[in-house]
C-alpha cells in the first residue's frame, strides 16, 4: 500500500536522495515522506550519516631500507548538509580514502628510520588526517579521526630485533648479508655490540669477585695461623708455670707429639682418606719438631 501511495520511511542517522525525472531534487531527512511516483519522483538511494571505519594496510620502506606494513584506521562520516556531494561525486568512497592514505604514508615513512616510525606514529597519523580532511571535505565527508594502529616490520627484521637479547647473532647476520637488507644488518651489528658489552661486564665482575674471594680466603688463613700460634704460646706458658722444671722446648715437643697422634687418628678413622706416607716413630716426631723450630727461627730473623 505504501508503494502505491508513494509513502516511504527513512531510518534514523540516514538520509535519502530524492530525484524528479532523474534529476536531484532534495535530501529527505529521517521520517515518513510521500513521493508520488506518477509525478516522476523517486528515491535514488540512501546515505548513512553514521561514523564508519576503514582499515588500510600499506606496505612501504623506511629510510634504513626496512620494509614495514603500516595499518591506518580512518574514521569518517558523510555530512548531512553535503549529502548530495557525498552521494553523487564519489563512486567508491572507501577506495578513494585508501588511495590518499597510501599516498601520504608512502611519502612520509621513507623519510624516517624504523625506530623513528615507531616513535612518530602520531605525526604520521596527523599527516594522513590533514591530507584526507582537505581532500574529502570537497566530496561531503568529514574525517573524524585517523589512527596508526599497527606497524609491522619485515619478518626478518622482527627476528633480528628479538635477537638483540638472544644469542643467534651470527646466523642472522648471514641472513642479512644474503638478502642484502641493510637495515637488518645494522640491527644485528647493534645486537652483537650489546652482547659483547654485556659479556665484558660479566667477565669483569667475575674477575673482581674471584679476586675478592681469594683476598678474603688469604685473610682467613692468616687469622687461622695467628690463632694457632697464639694458642700454642698460651699453652706453653701455662704448662711451664704449672709444672716446675720444664722448659719451653719440652712443652713444644709434647704438643707436637699430641698433634701428630691426633692426625694419625683422623687419617685412620676416615673412610675416604687417601694413602699418606709419612715417617713414623719417635725419631720422626723429633725431626718434625726440629723443622718447625727452625722455621720459626728463620721467620724471626727475616
Amino acid at each position: 500500500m505504501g508503494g502505491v501511495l508513494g509513502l516511504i520511511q527513512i531510518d534514523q542517522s540516514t538520509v535519502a536522495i530524492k530525484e524528479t525525472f532523474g534529476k536531484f531534487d532534495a535530501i529527505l531527512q529521517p521520517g515518513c515522506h510521500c513521493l508520488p511516483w506518477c509525478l516522476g519522483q523517486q528515491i535514488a538511494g540512501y546515505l548513512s550519516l553514521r561514523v564508519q571505519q576503514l582499515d588500510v594496510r600499506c606496505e612501504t620502506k623506511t629510510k634504513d631500507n626496512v620494509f614495514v606494513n603500516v595499518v591506518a584506521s580512518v574514521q569518517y562520516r558523510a555530512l548531512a548538509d553535503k549529502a548530495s556531494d557525498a552521494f553523487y561525486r564519489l563512486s567508491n568512497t572507501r577506495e578513494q580514502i585508501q588511495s590518499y592514505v597510501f599516498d601520504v604514508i608512502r611519502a612520509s615513512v621513507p623519510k624516517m628510520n624504523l625506530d623513528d616510525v615507531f616513535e612518530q606514529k602520531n605525526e604520521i597519523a596527523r599527516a594522513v588526517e590533514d591530507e584526507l580532511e582537505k581532500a574529502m571535505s570537497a566530496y561531503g565527508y568529514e574525517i573524524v579521526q585517523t589512527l596508526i594502529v599497527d606497524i609491522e616490520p619485515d619478518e626478518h627484521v622482527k627476528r633480528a630485533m628479538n635477537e638483540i637479547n638472544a644469542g643467534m647473532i651470527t646466523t642472522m647476520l648471514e641472513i642479512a648479508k644474503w638478502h642484502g637488507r641493510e637495515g637488518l644488518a645494522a640491527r644485528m651489528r647493534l645486537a652483537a655490540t650489546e652482547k659483547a658489552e654485556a659479556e665484558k661486564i660479566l667477565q669483569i665482575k667475575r674477575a673482581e669477585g674471584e679476586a675478592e674471594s681469594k683476598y678474603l680466603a688469604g685473610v682467613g688463613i692468616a687469622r687461622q695461623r695467628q690463632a694457632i700460634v697464639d694458642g700454642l704460646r698460651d699453652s706453653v706458658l701455662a704448662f711451664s708455670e704449672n709444672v716446675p722444671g720444664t722448659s719451653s722446648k719440652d712443652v713444644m715437643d709434647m704438643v707436637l707429639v699430641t698433634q701428630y697422634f691426633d692426625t694419625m687418628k683422623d687419617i685412620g678413622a676416615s673412610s675416604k682418606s687417601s694413602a699418606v706416607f709419612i715417617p713414623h716413630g719417635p725419631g720422626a716426631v723429633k725431626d718434625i719438631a726440629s723443622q718447625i723450630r727452625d722455621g720459626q727461627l728463620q721467620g724471626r730473623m727475616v
Side-chain angles (χ1 to χ4, degrees), residues 53-74:
Q53 178 169 307
L54 173 63
D55 292 331
V56 181
R57 177 180 291 270
C58 176
E59 184 180 18
T60 184
K61 185 177 71 170
T62 63
K63 186 177 180 180
D64 50 354
N65 296 323
V66 176
F67 282 90
V68 294
N69 284 307
V70 180
V71 180
S73 180
V74 181

Side-chain angles (χ1 to χ4, degrees), residues 106-125:
R106 288 174 176 169
S108 302
V109 173
K111 299 178 182 179
M112 307 176 185
N113 292 325
L114 180 59
D115 292 335
D116 297 332
V117 174
F118 282 96
E119 294 175 0
Q120 301 179 23
K121 69 173 187 175
N122 291 334
E123 285 74 8
I124 299 174

Side-chain angles (χ1 to χ4, degrees), residues 48-110:
S48 175
L49 301 180
R50 296 179 180 178
V51 176
Q52 303 180 62
Q53 178 169 307
L54 173 63
D55 292 331
V56 181
R57 177 180 291 270
C58 176
E59 184 180 18
T60 184
K61 185 177 71 170
T62 63
K63 186 177 180 180
D64 50 354
N65 296 323
V66 176
F67 282 90
V68 294
N69 284 307
V70 180
V71 180
S73 180
V74 181
Q75 298 175 353
Y76 66 98
R77 67 182 175 186
L79 298 174
D81 56 343
K82 295 183 178 181
S84 60
D85 291 335
F87 185 81
Y88 287 107
R89 298 190 63 182
L90 287 179
S91 60
N92 194 321
T93 305
R94 299 175 72 86
E95 287 188 2
Q96 186 76 11
I97 293 176
Q98 180 174 291
S99 298
Y100 280 107
V101 173
F102 281 171
D103 181 67
V104 175
I105 290 179
R106 288 174 176 169
S108 302
V109 173

Side-chain angles (χ1 to χ4, degrees), residues 30-285:
C32 186
H33 297 271
C34 179
L35 269 77
W37 56 270
C38 57
L39 299 179
Q41 297 181 358
Q42 63 177 354
I43 298 298
Y46 297 89
L47 185 66
S48 175
L49 301 180
R50 296 179 180 178
V51 176
Q52 303 180 62
Q53 178 169 307
L54 173 63
D55 292 331
V56 181
R57 177 180 291 270
C58 176
E59 184 180 18
T60 184
K61 185 177 71 170
T62 63
K63 186 177 180 180
D64 50 354
N65 296 323
V66 176
F67 282 90
V68 294
N69 284 307
V70 180
V71 180
S73 180
V74 181
Q75 298 175 353
Y76 66 98
R77 67 182 175 186
L79 298 174
D81 56 343
K82 295 183 178 181
S84 60
D85 291 335
F87 185 81
Y88 287 107
R89 298 190 63 182
L90 287 179
S91 60
N92 194 321
T93 305
R94 299 175 72 86
E95 287 188 2
Q96 186 76 11
I97 293 176
Q98 180 174 291
S99 298
Y100 280 107
V101 173
F102 281 171
D103 181 67
V104 175
I105 290 179
R106 288 174 176 169
S108 302
V109 173
K111 299 178 182 179
M112 307 176 185
N113 292 325
L114 180 59
D115 292 335
D116 297 332
V117 174
F118 282 96
E119 294 175 0
Q120 301 179 23
K121 69 173 187 175
N122 291 334
E123 285 74 8
I124 299 174
R126 191 176 299 110
V128 173
E129 183 174 343
D130 293 342
E131 186 67 22
L132 284 174
E133 186 66 34
K134 290 188 296 183
M136 300 305 294
S137 60
Y139 299 106
Y141 282 93
E142 175 191 10
I143 304 301
V144 178
Q145 192 171 19
T146 301
L147 302 173
I148 301 298
V149 296
D150 191 16
I151 300 173
E152 185 178 354
D154 182 85
E155 186 64 29
H156 293 87
V157 178
K158 290 173 63 177
R159 191 178 301 118
M161 295 170 68
N162 293 331
E163 288 300 330
I164 290 178
N165 296 322
M168 299 175 62
I169 305 301
T170 304
T171 303
M172 295 303 298
L173 278 173
E174 291 298 326
I175 294 176
K177 182 178 180 181
W178 177 262
H179 289 279
R181 302 181 185 274
E182 298 178 5
L184 176 57
R187 292 188 173 278
M188 295 310 302
R189 286 194 295 270
L190 174 61
T193 300
E194 292 185 358
K195 182 181 179 183
E197 289 294 330
E199 291 179 350
K200 176 183 176 182
I201 294 173
L202 288 176
Q203 291 179 358
I204 292 175
K205 293 298 183 182
R206 190 180 296 113
E208 291 177 352
E210 291 178 356
E212 183 68 18
S213 176
K214 291 179 180 179
Y215 170 76
L216 294 176
V219 172
I221 293 173
R223 290 178 178 176
Q224 179 186 19
R225 291 176 177 175
Q226 184 64 40
I228 292 173
V229 172
D230 292 342
L232 290 174
R233 184 185 62 248
D234 294 340
S235 298
V236 170
L237 293 177
F239 195 88
S240 300
E241 292 177 357
N242 295 327
V243 181
T246 58
S247 63
S248 302
K249 178 179 178 302
D250 297 333
V251 177
M252 181 59 70
D253 290 341
M254 184 185 67
V255 171
L256 290 176
V257 170
T258 303
Q259 291 185 344
Y260 174 81
F261 283 109
D262 289 341
T263 303
M264 296 298 295
K265 178 181 178 182
D266 293 337
I267 293 175
S270 176
S271 60
K272 296 182 180 180
S273 61
S274 301
V276 180
F277 297 93
I278 58 174
H280 183 66
V285 177

Side-chain angles (χ1 to χ4, degrees), residues 17-32:
I17 307 301
K18 175 184 174 184
E19 292 181 347
T20 301
F21 293 112
K23 181 181 180 180
F24 171 72
D25 186 5
I27 298 174
L28 302 182
Q29 301 297 326
C32 186

